Amino acid sequence: MIKAVMMMNTQGKPRLAKFYDYMPVEKQQELIRGVFSVLSSRPENVSNFLEIDSLFGVDSRLVYKHYATLYFVLVFDGSENELAMLDLIQVLVETLDKCFSNVCELDIVFNYSKMHAVLDEIVFGGQVLETSSAEVMKAVEEISKLEAASNSISLVPKSVSGWRGR
Amino acid sequence: MSSSSTSIMDNLFQRSLEDLIKGFRLQLLGESNFISRALEEIRREIKVTDLSTKSTALHKLSYLAALHGVDMSWAAFHAVEVVSSSRFQHKRIGYQAITQSFHEQTSVLLLITNQVRKDLTSANEYEVSLALECLSRIGTQDLARDLTPEVFTLLGSSKAFVKKKAIGVVLRVFEKYPDAVKVCFKRLVENLESSDPQILSAVVGVFCELATRDPGSCLPLAPEFYKVLVDSRNNWVLIKVLKIFAKLASIEPRLGKKVAEPICEHMRRTVAKSLVFECIRTVVSSLSDHEAALKLAVAKIREFLVEDDPNLKYLGLNALSIVAPKHLWAVLENKEAVVKALSDEDPNVKLEALHLLMAMVNEDNVSEISRILMNYALKSDPLFCNEIIYSVLSACSRNAFEIIVDFDWYVSLLGEMARIPHCQRGEEIEHQLIDIGMRVSDARPQLVRVSWALLIDPALLGNLFLHPILSAAAWISGEYVEFCKNPYETVEALLQPRTGLLPPSIRAIYIHSAFKVLVFCLRSYFSAKESILSSSAQEFSSTSSSMNAFTYESILNLVNVIELGLGPLCGTHDVEVQERAKNVLGFIGMLKQELGEKLDLQDNETEAFRVTAFMEDLFSEELGPVSTTAQEKVCVPDGLKLKENLRDLEEICGEFLKPVESDSVSYMDKISFSVSKLRIRDQQETSSSSSPPHEASSLLAEHRKRHGMYYLPSQKDDPDSNGTPSDYPLANELANEISPNAFNPKRKPSQSKPRPVVVKLDEGDELRITPQAKTTIETGNDDESLSRAIQSALLVKNKGKEKDKFETNPNSGQREKEESSRIEENHQNSEKKKKKKKKKKNGEGSSKHKSRGRNQAAAASEQVVIPDFLL
């Protein structure tokens, strides 16, 4: 099971954080800070795995990847494979790349909702359900369409209902 | 009217999430100010009736909660409102807020059941997907129970998009509501034969989780998993299946034989490192008895180790450390790679290599490995350096220094460690130095040599982390002063001016050690003299022979050095240091007078002699190791309330309550007290035969009587208390009696030097093992209902006809199982040939099952379901 997905920039600002077990927000923030402090102390060109038992409890592992100004972090337990998780980060980044054509940190900052749509297609309740970025893209585009549709319908009736209420 | 107009105004001018993010980047107010303003706004907006405004507000709130740690539990009801909107966008925001912030205790959780049900049955697959995602994250027992029928329906969906998520949600539903297993299990298992890789991947993932929680319940499905293992070419699926088999093989060893070959096949075939690694891990952790597979796995590990990719190197080392306890040869084969990894730049790799190296340590190579590691420690960064030191220390001290043969070498190594610049493990080294001193009498001469070298090194005094080591060194030079080559220099080292850098507690140990050395020197001096005078005193001749060097001048010199060194300390602010300094000076003052009139030997020196003898007797008592369980042997006396709150007492008589005196303090008190008494007696000219040694020993005897349980059990029953105080055993004697042969079997004939005796206590030397088995049982209990449900579902699966029967009495898992096994029995003969999967019976009648306890029944049913194909 995947326990958490995080993205943060090299200054430690979280850009996306998802914890698959309920956790109070204070605890979440504490974990994000804890992970960042470990990551920021790692030199370049070393392995992408971290022993993280002190933060997430026994039998938890962490893989991360550093792209430009961002860290992508996955925390998971013993029923996942470390290298497969590394691949999963790759899948996630590839998908985002397709989504935003050459993704950069700003895309992630301003597309909070879409980020979640992408992530939710790949990881479902802590389980990896989709690893093909084409499939993910299909679903995400479908969701965007639905949202846009519901919005465009909404504009007129909402104001009309507002006027009527008068 | 006004309310609706404000709502429109709000809506028109409401800041969207994007505005909020933009604002956040441009804000000048400071982060927390900006957030509290935004929150104010959100609180206002979220209350309006318009769902658009409300949902946007909620969206902003979830954003702030996820990334800025803002509490959003207060908006739970609003999330429920938003989720009920008919518009997809609102729904999505609502569900997102719910999954993010709801938990078991959220009170409005019950309100969403109907909405989730509605969305689960929606024609829009994306709405279904939202509801499933929500259920998989926050599903409670109630939700799982109420929504099981919908989930069951969705498991049969024709759309892969929905179906895979329905499979995913099953895990949460089963976990919260085990009875759902009866309903959904069949459909879940059917998907193991799915040709759609997405579906297969999802269902294998679910079984991987189930198998992790309770391998036994998944065992009957081994044939299905086996098929997947052989047929599938999807790496994600294969990794999960391998994980399942790793779990299953641990409870059913016969499986290993069956799966070893396909696993090896994958290992040879695939180029995907993740799959190779999973194969390796499966083999080394669960199939390590299969030689061919293990050999191949170790070969693959070697490939990983020589890779440039630090990830692979790390994982290779990781796999080695799994295999190390059972097959050390695998590590030894890769020794070079492991040693090389020690100088890797990746801290993970270095650490893993270090652990492996320590796994290789035995009594033959300990010195070689330690030497290599010490060289690395000198070159490493402080963190890793201390990790190395710690590993060496803990490996060597394991089980009362089991692997150490040459203690002289080890003691020197400890001395070397103290000189490594980054060393911060002073306390551990201190502990080991003292421990060796107490346990291994043969090591004492070397200990004293090493301590002396440490004490005279002025550079060490400046290092805060080394102070504990110095305190041990000081204690050793005082306690085992008889092995000291040059007591005069020792005293000089103990009282050098730079000891001012030490904390007072350690300084006190320095002074006390100097005291011990002084007493020893005086004693040797006097006894040497006495043996010259009266040939009858034979008992001291042995000790004095080596110490003949003490002349009157050298003693006087020594006394002067001590006086000079301690003089300034009488005015120090620290009570302990001052007290000890004054004690020593008082002692010297008493003796000096008599020493001054050196010529008048006969009369005068007997007094001094007696006092020194008394002190010597006190100090010459050997200290042995104390059992770690000694404290527990003290039973609480009746009527003593240890947990009573004593605050009142403190208020009433706070002034009179003094901190409880520790043993050592009272011990010191007694000595100084009796010394002063002696002096008084001397003045009164009451020198009689009531010898001070006797008094000292009786004090000790009394202490022993009172606190006997802290001492080691006395092996010698020596009623004679008049002689040398011998009624508590010397540590080494004890060892001789307890374990003269215990170490022999391990000793190798080739050793040039026999291993010295190490005192080992029968009990309490090792930390008591925490009852881990118990905890695993307890955690097992949590899943018990789930695994029982799965087991019974598996039984049902093969005979759909009987299914109705079970559903009639859903609340009695116990009866159900018995019943199912009975049914099994009845139908066994008729269905045996038809069934693809046969159950092996353990030959017990069903009547026996009835009388059994719950656990036994569970165990029995586990036995029942061993698949035939294994045999």
Side-chain angles (χ1 to χ4, degrees):
Chain A
M1 292 277 265
I2 293 176
K3 292 182 175 179
V5 180
M6 296 174 216
M7 292 179 202
M8 55 187 89
N9 71 4
T10 37
Q11 270 101 55
K13 282 219 164 69
R15 294 308 187 197
L16 182 138
K18 201 154 188 160
F19 294 83
Y20 288 93
D21 297 315
Y22 173 77
M23 232 175 259
V25 278
E26 299 81 29
K27 178 79 181 158
Q28 294 184 2
Q29 292 292 310
E30 190 191 314
L31 289 175
I32 293 172
R33 276 195 298 273
V35 167
F36 176 72
S37 74
V38 183
L39 288 188
S40 57
S41 68
R42 306 257 308 159
E44 288 289 322
N45 302 324
V46 294
S47 67
N48 299 95
F49 309 123
L50 276 185
E51 313 254 326
I52 203 83
D53 290 6
S54 56
L55 286 175
F56 287 88
V58 191
D59 195 32
S60 40
R61 296 136 210 231
L62 182 151
V63 303
Y64 72 96
K65 236 173 178 175
H66 187 177
Y67 290 97
T69 55
L70 280 177
Y71 286 115
F72 286 72
V73 179
L74 283 182
V75 184
F76 51 93
D77 65 11
S79 37
E80 303 294 339
N81 178 295
E82 289 85 345
L83 292 169
M85 287 297 110
L86 216 50
D87 286 346
L88 194 69
I89 295 184
Q90 188 64 36
V91 169
L92 178 63
V93 174
E94 270 172 28
T95 317
L96 293 179
D97 223 23
K98 281 182 194 160
C99 251
F100 303 111
S101 58
N102 236 336
V103 66
C104 67
E105 192 185 339
L106 276 185
D107 291 321
I108 291 170
V109 171
F110 283 110
N111 293 283
Y112 181 74
S113 179
K114 201 165 190 178
M115 290 298 300
H116 274 276
V118 171
L119 186 57
D120 286 350
E121 285 312 309
I122 297 175
V123 182
F124 174 90
Q127 303 167 68
V128 181
L129 275 198
E130 188 54 75
T131 50
S132 133
S133 59
E135 289 289 331
V136 177
M137 282 299 292
K138 220 166 75 188
V140 171
E141 272 164 20
E142 213 45 56
I143 289 170
S144 313
K145 261 189 228 162
L146 273 174
E147 285 191 336
S150 68
N151 239 355
S152 62
I153 307 162
S154 76
L155 273 177
V156 185
K158 189 171 65 185
S159 41
V160 167
S161 70
W163 288 110
R164 255 188 220 148
R166 242 178 186 183
Chain B
M1 180 177 145
S2 66
S3 79
S4 75
S5 69
T6 50
S7 130
I8 289 164
M9 294 308 282
D10 271 343
N11 192 20
L12 285 177
F13 296 103
Q14 185 184 22
R15 289 203 286 179
S16 67
L17 176 60
E18 194 165 320
D19 298 333
L20 179 79
I21 296 170
K22 271 185 192 149
F24 207 94
R25 293 170 69 80
L26 300 172
Q27 48 91 11
L28 302 166
L29 295 168
E31 201 167 289
S32 58
N33 264 338
F34 185 84
I35 290 176
S36 56
R37 286 221 178 162
L39 262 180
E40 247 170 61
E41 206 174 87
I42 289 169
R43 277 179 193 276
R44 202 173 56 239
E45 291 165 0
I46 211 166
K47 287 196 188 105
V48 302
T49 45
D50 179 49
L51 276 177
S52 246
T53 315
K54 199 186 273 287
S55 68
T56 306
L58 187 65
H59 202 194
K60 290 192 281 187
L61 183 60
S62 354
Y63 173 83
L64 290 177
L67 298 188
H68 299 282
V70 170
D71 175 52
M72 65 177 291
S73 55
W74 56 270
F77 183 73
H78 300 296
V80 176
E81 285 180 308
V82 170
V83 92
S84 66
S85 163
S86 56
R87 271 186 234 150
F88 183 75
Q89 193 187 20
H90 299 169
K91 217 181 255 306
R92 197 167 156 242
I93 291 170
Y95 272 123
Q96 201 180 335
I98 287 175
T99 52
Q100 192 179 335
S101 64
F102 279 26
H103 51 97
E104 302 263 340
Q105 272 76 45
T106 304
S107 53
V108 297
L109 194 65
L110 288 172
L111 300 178
I112 64 168
T113 311
N114 276 324
Q115 185 60 43
V116 175
R117 179 178 293 136
K118 203 175 133 206
D119 290 330
L120 282 178
T121 51
S122 158
N124 184 339
E125 56 190 296
Y126 295 96
E127 284 184 3
V128 179
S129 151
L130 287 180
L132 283 172
E133 163 88 21
C134 172
L135 188 58
S136 80
R137 294 274 300 277
I138 60 150
T140 58
Q141 194 194 349
D142 290 338
L143 275 174
R145 187 191 55 227
D146 296 342
L147 299 173
T148 296
E150 281 74 22
V151 171
F152 174 75
T153 316
L154 289 173
L155 275 176
S157 166
S158 55
K159 293 170 190 157
F161 180 76
V162 172
K163 194 171 181 178
K164 70 178 179 195
K165 294 193 175 181
I167 292 170
V169 91
V170 157
L171 187 65
R172 179 87 184 193
V173 173
F174 281 8
E175 185 189 326
K176 294 291 169 189
Y177 179 62
D179 282 348
V181 173
K182 279 183 300 196
V183 183
C184 301
F185 202 70
K186 190 160 166 256
R187 281 208 171 162
L188 190 64
V189 173
E190 278 167 5
N191 286 314
L192 276 175
E193 283 157 26
S194 167
S195 55
D196 185 339
Q198 283 182 311
I199 302 293
L200 189 61
S201 161
V203 74
V204 170
V206 170
F207 275 112
C208 179
E209 293 297 329
L210 290 176
T212 310
R213 284 162 212 196
D214 177 40
S217 62
C218 290
L219 197 53
L221 291 171
E224 275 85 350
F225 297 139
Y226 182 78
K227 214 164 145 269
V228 176
L229 177 70
V230 175
D231 294 342
S232 176
R233 283 293 173 271
N234 180 327
N235 292 338
W236 287 91
V237 172
L238 285 172
I239 286 172
K240 289 286 181 180
V241 171
L242 284 169
K243 295 232 180 237
I244 295 174
F245 275 116
K247 294 284 182 303
L248 297 189
S250 61
I251 60 161
E252 177 51 85
R254 285 174 297 174
L255 255 181
K257 209 166 62 186
K258 187 89 180 166
V259 295
E261 192 35 48
I263 292 177
C264 289
E265 191 50 45
H266 283 306
M267 237 188 302
R268 286 188 209 105
R269 171 190 66 83
T270 184
V271 287
K273 296 291 183 199
S274 52
L275 183 57
V276 175
F277 178 63
E278 200 56 54
C279 290
I280 293 173
R281 183 154 57 191
T282 311
V283 171
V284 294
S285 60
S286 303
L287 309 172
S288 57
D289 302 331
H290 297 265
E291 207 176 317
L294 186 64
K295 281 225 169 92
L296 181 60
V298 173
K300 288 284 174 189
I301 291 177
R302 191 170 312 133
E303 284 175 24
F304 273 39
L305 290 179
V306 296
E307 290 269 359
D308 286 332
D309 185 347
N311 288 335
L312 298 183
K313 211 182 279 177
Y314 171 68
L315 292 175
L317 293 170
N318 220 324
L320 270 190
S321 64
I322 300 175
V323 81
K326 271 171 113 178
H327 301 274
L328 199 61
W329 60 267
V331 188
L332 292 172
E333 261 183 20
N334 294 296
K335 200 173 156 191
E336 281 81 38
V338 173
V339 173
K340 203 171 145 231
L342 272 182
S343 43
D344 203 280
E345 57 179 333
D346 187 342
N348 283 343
V349 171
K350 282 200 289 192
L351 214 58
E352 203 64 42
L354 177 62
H355 293 161
L356 276 173
L357 214 53
M358 293 335 283
M360 282 192 265
V361 167
N362 61 29
E363 57 187 71
D364 293 326
N365 61 17
V366 60
S367 70
E368 188 200 342
I369 290 184
S370 303
R371 191 171 41 82
I372 295 173
L373 285 178
M374 283 305 118
N375 284 336
Y376 274 105
L378 281 169
K379 290 182 285 188
S380 301
D381 56 301
L383 201 70
F384 189 57
C385 167
N386 282 297
E387 202 60 50
I388 290 179
I389 293 176
Y390 177 71
S391 303
V392 173
L393 285 174
S394 54
C396 290
S397 66
R398 200 188 305 137
N399 214 352
F401 305 99
E402 198 176 45
I403 56 168
I404 305 293
V405 176
D406 184 353
F407 275 91
D408 287 358
W409 162 79
Y410 186 58
V411 169
S412 317
L413 182 76
L414 290 177
E416 270 174 48
M417 280 182 191
R419 285 163 204 274
I420 293 175
H422 296 307
C423 176
Q424 295 174 3
R425 296 283 177 184
E427 276 169 28
E428 180 61 25
I429 297 176
E430 171 198 21
H431 175 252
Q432 290 201 8
L433 283 172
I434 293 177
D435 206 28
I436 293 174
M438 292 196 290
R439 285 178 196 270
V440 194
S441 61
D442 292 0
R444 286 173 195 166
Q446 178 67 11
L447 263 178
V448 172
R449 272 193 293 277
V450 168
S451 301
W452 185 74
L454 290 174
L455 288 177
I456 58 165
D457 191 342
L460 300 181
L461 282 164
N463 187 341
L464 207 67
F465 294 109
L466 300 185
H467 286 171
I469 305 179
L470 290 176
S471 111
W475 181 82
I476 284 166
S477 1
E479 187 66 22
Y480 306 116
V481 59
E482 65 264 33
F483 300 111
C484 187
K485 287 258 163 55
N486 191 341
Y488 180 78
E489 280 180 15
T490 306
V491 168
E492 257 189 342
L494 286 170
L495 299 176
Q496 61 181 301
R498 269 176 72 89
T499 54
L501 295 168
L502 293 168
S505 59
I506 294 178
R507 225 170 166 199
I509 295 174
Y510 267 63
I511 296 169
H512 196 59
S513 294
F515 188 25
K516 283 177 181 170
V517 176
L518 170 67
V519 168
F520 173 78
C521 294
L522 286 172
R523 174 71 160 158
S524 320
Y525 169 64
F526 286 138
S527 56
K529 212 165 242 179
E530 187 165 303
S531 63
I532 294 164
L533 288 170
S534 58
S535 54
S536 65
Q538 280 167 350
E539 49 178 317
F540 300 114
S541 59
S542 58
T543 44
S544 59
S545 62
S546 62
M547 292 298 167
N548 271 334
F550 287 114
T551 59
Y552 176 70
E553 282 73 27
S554 70
I555 290 290
L556 212 59
N557 231 342
L558 186 70
V559 169
N560 283 336
V561 166
I562 295 178
E563 257 188 327
L564 201 69
L566 292 182
L569 293 180
C570 290
T572 186
H573 289 300
D574 188 80
V575 190
E576 180 80 8
V577 174
Q578 195 194 42
E579 179 87 354
R580 296 212 181 198
K582 281 195 170 161
N583 278 345
V584 179
L585 288 177
F587 179 73
I588 288 176
M590 185 172 70
L591 290 174
K592 220 174 175 188
Q593 219 177 353
E594 293 164 3
L595 280 173
E597 300 147 26
K598 153 200 180 194
L599 298 171
D600 225 353
L601 281 171
Q602 289 293 48
D603 295 337
N604 255 334
E605 287 203 350
T606 42
E607 298 305 316
F609 171 68
R610 231 179 52 218
V611 178
T612 0
F614 166 74
M615 295 307 296
E616 168 78 1
D617 277 333
L618 271 186
F619 288 145
S620 65
E621 280 306 320
E622 263 196 65
L623 300 170
V626 177
S627 158
T628 51
T629 54
Q631 184 72 48
E632 286 170 18
K633 288 181 185 162
V634 187
C635 43
V636 181
D638 285 342
L640 184 64
K641 287 175 188 162
L642 286 177
K643 304 215 167 128
E644 194 91 323
N645 195 341
L646 293 178
R647 207 174 298 148
D648 311 344
L649 192 65
E650 236 167 69
E651 272 171 30
I652 298 165
C653 49
E655 264 180 53
F656 306 104
L657 281 176
K658 300 243 160 70
V660 183
E661 286 175 22
S662 73
D663 263 0
S664 62
V665 174
S666 59
Y667 178 71
M668 271 309 294
D669 281 356
K670 266 174 200 157
I671 292 169
S672 51
F673 173 63
S674 40
V675 168
S676 58
K677 221 162 59 180
L678 270 175
R679 201 190 283 173
I680 294 164
R681 209 184 287 153
D682 285 345
Q683 284 163 358
Q684 290 169 344
E685 310 272 338
T686 56
S687 60
S688 63
S689 64
S690 70
S691 62
H694 177 77
E695 190 175 338
S697 71
S698 70
L699 268 176
L700 277 167
E702 196 189 328
H703 188 264
R704 181 175 167 75
K705 212 192 286 170
R706 282 223 315 262
H707 303 284
M709 53 188 58
Y710 301 115
Y711 289 84
L712 289 171
S714 171
Q715 301 286 315
K716 269 202 306 195
D717 286 316
D718 195 2
D720 167 52
S721 59
N722 258 355
T724 49
S726 60
D727 56 348
Y728 81 100
L730 301 176
N732 303 321
E733 280 174 63
L734 188 65
N736 281 330
E737 282 167 47
I738 294 175
S739 54
N741 296 318
F743 301 101
N744 279 343
K746 280 184 184 165
R747 203 181 284 168
K748 297 202 174 153
S750 61
Q751 274 169 217
S752 54
K753 196 172 159 190
R755 185 175 191 265
V757 176
V758 179
V759 180
K760 226 177 141 180
L761 302 178
D762 296 344
E763 53 190 303
D765 250 353
E766 294 95 31
L767 292 173
R768 274 157 306 127
I769 304 147
T770 47
Q772 278 191 335
K774 206 177 161 191
T775 56
T776 54
I777 288 168
E778 275 165 16
T779 53
N781 271 344
D782 290 345
D783 294 325
E784 199 182 314
S785 51
L786 175 58
S787 61
R788 274 190 296 140
I790 293 175
Q791 277 163 13
S792 53
L794 276 167
L795 293 173
V796 178
K797 187 173 87 83
N798 292 308
K799 27 188 147 342
K801 283 179 206 166
E802 267 74 30
K803 205 174 137 194
D804 300 348
K805 239 184 185 175
F806 295 110
E807 280 170 350
T808 52
N809 59 348
N811 280 333
S812 57
Q814 165 73 23
R815 274 230 305 283
E816 215 172 87
K817 202 180 306 119
E818 283 163 11
E819 207 175 333
S820 62
S821 54
R822 214 178 312 137
I823 291 157
E824 170 92 315
E825 194 103 21
N826 294 340
H827 288 253
Q828 199 188 12
N829 293 332
S830 57
E831 287 194 20
K832 206 170 185 176
K833 280 161 198 165
K834 278 190 274 173
K835 265 191 292 178
K836 182 177 149 216
K837 224 160 26 95
K838 288 171 284 183
K839 307 281 185 286
K840 185 185 146 208
K841 299 302 296 181
N842 57 1
E844 283 170 299
S846 54
S847 58
K848 264 190 183 173
H849 281 243
K850 259 181 197 164
S851 58
R852 285 185 174 192
R854 202 168 148 210
N855 286 333
Q856 280 173 312
S861 66
E862 251 173 51
Q863 278 181 334
V864 169
V865 292
I866 294 169
D868 243 7
F869 96 114
L870 300 167
L871 305 173

